Amino acid sequence: VYIQPFLERRIGLHDTCGVNNLHGMPALLGSFGAVIAASYADWADYGPQLTTSYPARNDPIRGRDSEKQALMQLAYIGITIAIAGFGGIFTGLVIRNPFFEPVPEKSLFEDEAYWHVPEVEIPYFFDNRGEIQRDERGYPVVYQPVSTEAVFPPSPRLPPT
């Protein structure tokens, strides 16, 4: 509601498939949760599992306390975002190459040139405008419901005991 319009306005990012919402935001939420978890991790809560979850906590050379571990987790978030950003920018620059036959601006977000698109793309249960013709039971005309009795015959009734 807030992030996607901001990204479209600021940097022209059109996330038509919702990749940012599906992968990006949960990853950030989870990684910041990991920072918080690492900052509160101590021997009393984790026991011997502490050094399994955070091996550097037991390392005599890199020995980290919970604060250093949380800062390392935070640094790794920054590194990951930097690598992802660089990868996205590099990919965008490569795709802008005329070799890839860029789509004319008037054809952006139009799938008809590359895919078979049905006449009505709205599923019948979201059809609030009456675009889909229905029969008397409310089913779309192109849809013929299958009798469940042909697949699942009625079970015989057992006599009362």
Side-chain angles (χ1 to χ4, degrees):
V1 173
Y2 300 108
I3 296 171
Q4 186 56 41
F6 173 79
L7 292 174
E8 284 183 28
R9 239 185 1 263
R10 289 291 195 171
I11 61 174
L13 176 72
H14 296 282
D15 188 11
T16 57
C17 295
V19 174
N20 182 48
N21 299 328
L22 182 65
H23 299 288
M25 292 299 110
L28 285 176
L29 183 65
S31 57
F32 284 120
V35 169
I36 293 169
S39 69
Y40 285 104
D42 63 355
W43 189 264
D45 292 331
Y46 280 78
Q49 183 67 30
L50 180 68
T51 55
T52 304
S53 298
Y54 304 106
R57 296 283 300 265
N58 198 29
D59 189 339
I61 297 170
R62 299 180 296 168
R64 296 184 193 143
D65 58 359
S66 58
E67 182 180 325
K68 286 182 185 175
Q69 182 64 43
L71 290 173
M72 289 301 292
Q73 298 280 118
L74 198 58
Y76 294 146
I77 293 171
I79 292 169
T80 302
I81 290 173
I83 291 171
F86 175 75
I89 290 169
F90 178 75
T91 302
L93 292 173
V94 169
I95 287 179
R96 284 185 179 182
N97 188 333
F99 172 77
F100 289 105
E101 299 177 12
V103 178
E105 188 150 341
K106 67 178 182 150
S107 299
L108 290 174
F109 309 110
E110 297 292 330
D111 294 335
E112 287 85 7
Y114 307 103
W115 303 94
H116 172 71
V117 179
E119 293 285 326
V120 178
E121 295 186 55
I122 303 169
Y124 71 92
F125 43 85
F126 289 123
D127 179 30
N128 297 325
R129 297 179 287 180
E131 294 175 341
I132 301 174
Q133 295 179 354
R134 300 169 186 271
D135 63 11
E136 63 278 353
R137 295 173 296 184
Y139 292 109
V141 174
V142 295
Y143 175 70
Q144 299 298 322
V146 177
S147 169
T148 57
E149 290 183 6
V151 179
F152 303 105
S155 60
R157 298 206 153 219
L158 298 174
T161 56

